[in-house]
Amino acid sequence: MANPKKKDWARTKAYKELRNDLEQGLKASGLDTPKYRDLVDEYMISWCQLKELNMDIEDRGTRVSYQNGSQSGVSENKSLGTKIRLLKSMDDIFRRLGYQDEAKVRRSAAAQLNAGGDDDEL
């Protein structure tokens, strides 16, 4: 049975705008070749997966209850670790597409997420 909350991220305006920006960047830098278009495809697949992970974390939280036979408890939502690994992979693709400066900003944000840093003021 399909998840009724599952969203087709590839049909969203944000997806189309991001993909268009990446493709325009390839053309502007002279990298509009099959190799780099494939990297854009990989990046966009990862972007959709990231959105799904974010929804799971939003829906279930950072800690989830489990029941394993007679044992039960609370553990970290595995989507958190998966999200961190995915962000690192996306950062690598981003750099390979020629976006070194933007990749530095993404790495910094991922490091804060990994460290549990929260710079928001109340």
Side-chain angles (χ1 to χ4, degrees):
M1 184 159 127
N3 181 351
K5 288 184 125 184
K6 188 161 175 86
K7 184 172 183 174
D8 186 357
W9 292 101
R11 293 184 177 268
T12 64
K13 181 179 178 182
Y15 175 96
K16 292 173 185 171
E17 288 175 351
L18 177 57
R19 183 177 192 92
N20 186 51
D21 285 349
L22 292 173
E23 289 172 346
Q24 292 301 317
L26 290 180
K27 290 175 184 171
S29 62
L31 298 174
D32 190 16
T33 65
K35 171 185 172 182
Y36 287 99
R37 286 192 299 271
D38 189 52
L39 284 174
V40 169
D41 289 341
E42 285 184 45
Y43 189 86
M44 296 311 300
I45 289 167
S46 297
W47 184 85
C48 291
Q49 292 170 342
L50 180 63
K51 295 298 184 185
E52 290 296 319
L53 291 168
N54 286 339
M55 284 186 66
D56 179 62
I57 294 166
E58 184 179 314
D59 289 347
R60 298 190 312 143
T62 59
R63 310 281 292 163
V64 294
S65 300
Y66 68 88
Q67 178 79 35
N68 186 9
S70 63
Q71 295 181 340
S72 64
V74 178
S75 66
E76 180 181 271
N77 184 339
K78 292 181 181 181
S79 290
L80 290 170
T82 303
K83 178 179 178 176
I84 291 167
R85 289 188 301 277
L86 184 60
L87 284 170
K88 288 178 183 178
S89 174
M90 291 174 73
D91 176 61
D92 180 54
I93 295 168
F94 209 59
R95 284 186 293 109
R96 290 166 50 202
L97 287 168
Y99 297 104
Q100 278 73 15
D101 292 337
E102 291 90 340
K104 288 178 188 174
V105 171
R106 291 180 59 83
R107 274 196 305 276
S108 176
Q112 281 186 336
L113 178 65
N114 195 23
D118 189 0
D119 294 336
D120 291 345
E121 292 184 24
L122 296 177

